[in-house]
Amino acid sequence: MIQISKSDFLEYRSCAKGWWLKHRKRDAVNWPAPSAFDRMLMADGYLVEAQAKKLVATWPHHDDCTFQRVFDAGSLYARADLVHDLGGGVIDLYEIKGSTSLKSSSGQDHVDDACFQTLVAERSGVSVRSVYIMHVNGEYARDGAIDPAALLVIVDVTSEVRARSAGINEEIEAAIALIRVDLIDEQGCTCRHIGKAGHCASFAYFNPDIPENSAYLLPRISRKRLETLDSEQRLAIDHVTEKDVTPAQLPIWRALASGEPLIDHEAIGAFLEPLQWPLHFYDYETFAAAVPIADGHQPQQAMPVQFSLHRLAADGRLEHAEFLADGPGQQADLVAAMRAAFMDEGSAIVWNKSFEKGCNDRMADLLPDAAAFLAGINERTVDLMDPFKAHYVHPGFGGSTSIKKVLPILCPHLQYDPSAVHDGAGAMEAWIHMVETSDPAERTRLATELKNYCKLDSLAMVEIFRVLRAL
Ligand code: SF4
């Protein structure tokens, strides 16, 4: 018998077919392993729970409180984050979250989680008096030791849980019924008419007729357009016409349909022309956590812990500077290293400028003395990703403007090592392990990986810039 947990139920709600496939025909799909982002989320949860334990220890009734109490209700199973046993089979139930509101960063409503836990607890035989969500306070700024009472917010969601109970109960019954059936309709799935960002690993299994080179590669393609193309059996990119695409999708469609790169030399020249020498290609890696790790930091606030900067002079001279914090709260040192690496003049070049500019804004709030310097960098920031939205589009980019897609096509000699740190979440995970490990060899290994990764990000921009300039 499959026991349905809260995670199962949430997966079922997000996609019933995908959830069934995972449990009943697991070998049908090559399911991705949990990502670095997933692992960081779990680690965050443990840290918030540790703070909740400190808070509960101050409650007069703390002896009646239990963390991770299990409720077994036959086909359902719940592990409640925190239970206050009121005696006589009556409890108060708490869900503990690392988010800064009643919703997760992906928009998942925590009241629904709490409702599932409540219903399972009640089916197991207890009576739930009140339901609470304990989440972190987004306004909290660390000042010395963490103050759990200031960090955590407790919201009474009992009435909302009761209002949703009937609906969630029906969904639970539907999930139980679904997981018991041996066969489902495996033709298509609901993501067939949404863009590829929403697709999971099961998409190809449920939609084997969709060719690799399809309308899903067009950025921000609308549901209506996909429905029309599907009903006319024109999802293959060869059957999409110019009339089907928006102006923003047009260059991507042209490159995908022709199989040839589309290069607008004039527009790329206009992009490069205003750049000021020397060019500062730089990249940050950040760390964010529900429980802030340094004074002045706030929950889930991404703060730079590392940068790599390549400075390219007009005569072609290339110099490299970098900084890697070896502990929390070193943003002032990082900014000092930035000051040393940046000339008073010259463009600052990044990939996806909202990220680096946001980092500079947050560091300016943290370090008012550096605010003018950081604002100055933001003012001279240019986004090297921009030309790849419309002026240089290659079918090999697959409709993406990610540097991870652009680099292998333009500069195949530069490679990200998939077995080492190779993305932002992985860098975050590696950085905190580097800081926390007591093994010097492991610390050195992680520091080397982090430096190599960040250095490749800024060097990749230099090489991509050189390709554009040589056109
Ligand atoms: S791609 Fe299909 S199976 Fe996957 S989440 Fe979307 S609807 Fe579900």
Side-chain angles (χ1 to χ4, degrees):
M1 181 182 67
I2 295 170
Q3 267 199 315
I4 298 175
S5 67
K6 181 183 72 180
S7 311
D8 286 318
F9 180 64
L10 296 178
E11 270 188 55
Y12 159 80
R13 293 188 89 205
S14 134
C15 175
K17 274 184 137 175
W19 177 68
W20 180 89
L21 193 69
K22 199 180 227 177
H23 286 276
R24 300 303 308 269
K25 274 176 108 170
R26 189 160 183 89
D27 294 342
V29 168
N30 199 4
W31 301 98
S35 65
F37 180 78
D38 297 331
R39 293 192 296 271
M40 288 299 292
L41 220 53
M42 277 181 70
D44 231 16
Y46 294 133
L47 293 172
V48 176
E49 187 173 307
Q51 293 302 322
K53 283 180 177 163
K54 289 183 187 169
L55 177 65
V56 169
T58 67
W59 291 356
H61 51 273
H62 62 89
D63 284 343
D64 302 324
C65 293
T66 312
F67 285 85
Q68 301 299 327
R69 178 164 156 188
V70 169
F71 296 98
D72 189 331
S75 50
L76 300 170
Y77 162 93
R79 184 182 283 275
D81 290 333
L82 170 62
V83 168
H84 174 201
D85 196 331
L86 300 158
V90 181
I91 63 165
D92 283 347
L93 193 145
Y94 295 76
E95 278 286 287
I96 301 173
K97 303 291 179 187
S99 56
T100 54
S101 73
L102 294 180
K103 290 196 171 170
S104 72
S105 56
S106 60
Q108 187 185 305
D109 191 329
H110 297 321
V111 178
D112 289 344
D113 299 26
C115 194
F116 176 89
Q117 302 290 72
T118 303
L119 291 168
V120 177
E122 289 182 335
R123 284 191 190 203
S124 78
V126 299
S127 172
V128 178
R129 182 186 69 170
S130 299
V131 188
Y132 301 94
I133 289 176
M134 191 185 279
H135 65 78
V136 294
N137 171 10
E139 303 295 311
Y140 174 76
R142 182 166 180 163
D143 182 12
I146 292 284
D147 174 0
L151 173 71
L152 297 166
V153 177
I154 299 174
V155 185
D156 185 340
V157 294
T158 312
S159 55
E160 194 54 36
V161 162
R162 295 299 174 210
R164 296 185 195 186
S165 289
I168 297 284
N169 234 333
E170 272 179 34
E171 289 187 70
I172 289 173
E173 289 306 324
I176 293 171
L178 176 65
I179 209 64
R180 287 179 178 156
V181 302
D182 295 328
L183 292 171
I184 61 166
D185 172 12
E186 295 187 2
Q187 296 304 306
C189 63
T190 50
C191 281
R192 193 171 169 95
H193 295 145
I194 66 167
K196 68 175 177 173
H199 298 177
C200 79
S202 315
F203 184 79
Y205 178 82
F206 286 126
N207 303 279
D209 57 316
I210 307 276
E212 210 168 292
N213 206 12
S214 69
Y216 296 95
L217 297 176
L218 297 169
R220 286 180 282 284
I221 187 159
S222 68
R223 173 183 289 275
K224 196 159 169 253
R225 180 60 59 201
L226 283 169
E227 281 170 354
T228 303
L229 292 171
D230 195 13
S231 67
E232 295 169 3
Q233 299 189 322
R234 293 195 297 118
L235 283 168
I237 207 81
D238 298 345
H239 297 141
V240 177
T241 70
E242 192 165 339
K243 287 193 201 129
D244 297 315
V245 298
T246 64
Q249 292 162 348
L250 186 61
I252 292 110
W253 169 75
R254 282 197 173 129
L256 290 168
S258 68
E260 297 289 332
L262 181 146
I263 304 170
D264 182 338
H265 290 81
E266 203 176 315
I268 290 171
F271 169 81
L272 296 174
E273 202 271 330
L275 297 182
Q276 301 283 313
W277 299 97
L279 305 179
H280 307 79
F281 298 86
Y282 83 99
D283 180 65
Y284 286 136
E285 297 306 326
T286 59
F287 184 79
V291 180
I293 59 168
D295 283 355
H297 293 205
Q298 294 183 289
Q300 305 297 7
Q301 189 183 46
M303 278 292 180
V305 292
Q306 177 181 14
F307 78 79
S308 169
L309 184 148
H310 279 89
R311 195 173 65 223
L312 183 64
D315 63 6
R317 215 163 7 105
L318 185 65
E319 292 171 279
H320 180 241
E322 64 186 350
F323 176 88
L324 174 63
D326 59 7
Q330 295 182 10
Q331 280 67 38
D333 298 329
L334 182 146
V335 171
M338 290 279 285
R339 278 188 199 273
F342 262 90
M343 298 287 107
D344 291 340
E345 292 182 341
S347 301
I349 300 183
V350 297
W351 197 279
N352 189 16
K353 66 184 175 192
S354 62
F355 178 75
E356 265 75 19
K357 287 177 92 169
C359 287
N360 287 334
D361 289 341
R362 287 189 291 280
M363 287 199 294
D365 289 341
L366 184 70
L367 306 164
D369 289 350
F373 166 70
L374 293 164
I377 292 182
N378 278 357
E379 271 166 32
R380 45 184 168 139
T381 290
V382 176
D383 196 337
L384 190 58
M385 185 170 76
D386 284 348
F388 295 94
K389 291 177 182 162
H391 307 321
Y392 194 132
V393 184
H394 193 290
F397 299 163
S400 169
T401 54
S402 161
I403 196 167
K404 305 289 191 298
K405 293 283 186 187
V406 172
L407 186 68
I409 302 291
L410 265 59
C411 314
H413 59 288
L414 288 181
Q415 300 272 347
Y416 288 94
D417 178 357
S419 66
V421 173
H422 62 278
D423 61 24
M428 224 184 247
E429 187 181 36
W431 182 78
I432 196 67
H433 284 166
M434 180 197 75
V435 168
E436 291 178 349
T437 184
S438 54
D439 178 348
E442 179 66 352
R443 191 176 309 126
T444 303
R445 183 187 72 77
L446 290 166
T448 304
E449 272 195 26
L450 283 162
K451 284 181 181 174
N452 288 345
Y453 168 61
C454 200
K455 185 176 182 182
L456 181 53
D457 266 348
S458 58
L459 182 61
M461 286 189 276
V462 175
E463 294 298 320
I464 290 169
F465 165 78
R466 284 174 166 156
V467 170
L468 294 183
R469 203 155 172 244
L471 288 172

